[in-house]
Each structure stands twice: as C-alpha cells, then as structure tokens.
C-alpha cells in the first residue's frame, strides 16, 4: 500500500531502541517505552499560509527526526507500524 500525506502531515516510521541497557540488563518489550525517534517516509506538500501560498515542509523523506512522545496517529502499513503526524509535532532533525 502506498500512502501520501496531505498538507503539513508527515509519515514517520519509528526506529527500534536498544533491548539492553549499558549495564548489560535486557529490557522486556512490556517495560520498554516507545521510541521518540524515527525516519520520515513521506511528507505532504505543506500547509497554506494566510495569503493562500503553499509553505513547503522543512523535513523530507529520509530525515531522522525527534518527535513528541504522544504525537501522531499510529497506523499499520504492510504489517509495519508508522505514525502520521503534523510537521509541528516534530521537535528536531537529527544530523
């Protein structure tokens, strides 16, 4: 299935976190927090400003981003979990 976000929406795939702590302790899935880091899969064309002109999004496909903990809506595409969120929910681009 292909998905193209509308307006200022962004499709993000969460990155998996380490299963082991620095001390060597393995963390079970039930105790893990969901990661707040992901890769942008697709971005919409941008939102409209007051004058009706389209403002291009800052992020693009392939960017690694940090986002708010409870940001976006979880969806499943071809068995993989993704998030659809507004560009405003993205906190930073990881370089």
């Amino acid at each position: 299935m292909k998905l193209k976000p509308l307006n200022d929406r962004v499709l993000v795939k969460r990155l998996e976190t380490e299963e082991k702590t620095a001390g060597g302790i393995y963390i079970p899935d039930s105790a893990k927090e969901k990661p707040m880091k992901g890769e942008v899969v697709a971005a919409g064309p941008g939102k409209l400003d007051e004058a009706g002109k389209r403002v291009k999004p800052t992020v693009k496909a392939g960017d690694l981003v940090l986002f708010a903990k409870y940001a976006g809506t979880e969806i499943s595409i071809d068995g993989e979990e993704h998030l659809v969120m507004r560009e405003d929910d993205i906190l930073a681009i990881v370089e």
Side-chain angles (χ1 to χ4, degrees):
M1 171 170 53
K2 292 195 177 203
L3 188 78
K4 181 174 176 156
L6 299 176
N7 296 326
D8 66 332
R9 303 261 199 259
V10 179
L11 181 65
V12 176
K13 181 179 177 185
R14 283 189 188 199
L15 297 179
E16 295 300 319
T17 58
E18 290 286 321
E19 294 184 12
K20 187 168 71 167
T21 64
I25 298 171
Y26 285 93
I27 302 171
D29 288 338
S30 60
K32 279 197 252 182
E33 286 191 19
K34 292 187 178 183
M36 297 185 308
K37 186 176 179 183
E39 180 181 357
V40 175
V41 177
K47 61 182 172 182
L48 296 174
D49 65 4
E50 307 259 335
K53 292 186 178 181
R54 185 104 23 211
V55 178
K56 289 191 171 192
T58 308
V59 296
K60 62 186 179 309
D63 285 348
L64 293 179
V65 296
L66 295 176
F67 49 86
K69 191 172 208 169
Y70 299 106
T73 303
E74 294 182 357
I75 60 169
S76 180
I77 300 173
D78 297 331
E80 293 186 30
E81 294 297 317
H82 289 75
L83 290 169
V84 176
M85 65 180 72
R86 291 190 175 275
E87 187 182 20
D88 294 342
D89 291 334
I90 295 175
L91 305 174
I93 298 174
V94 179
E95 295 181 349

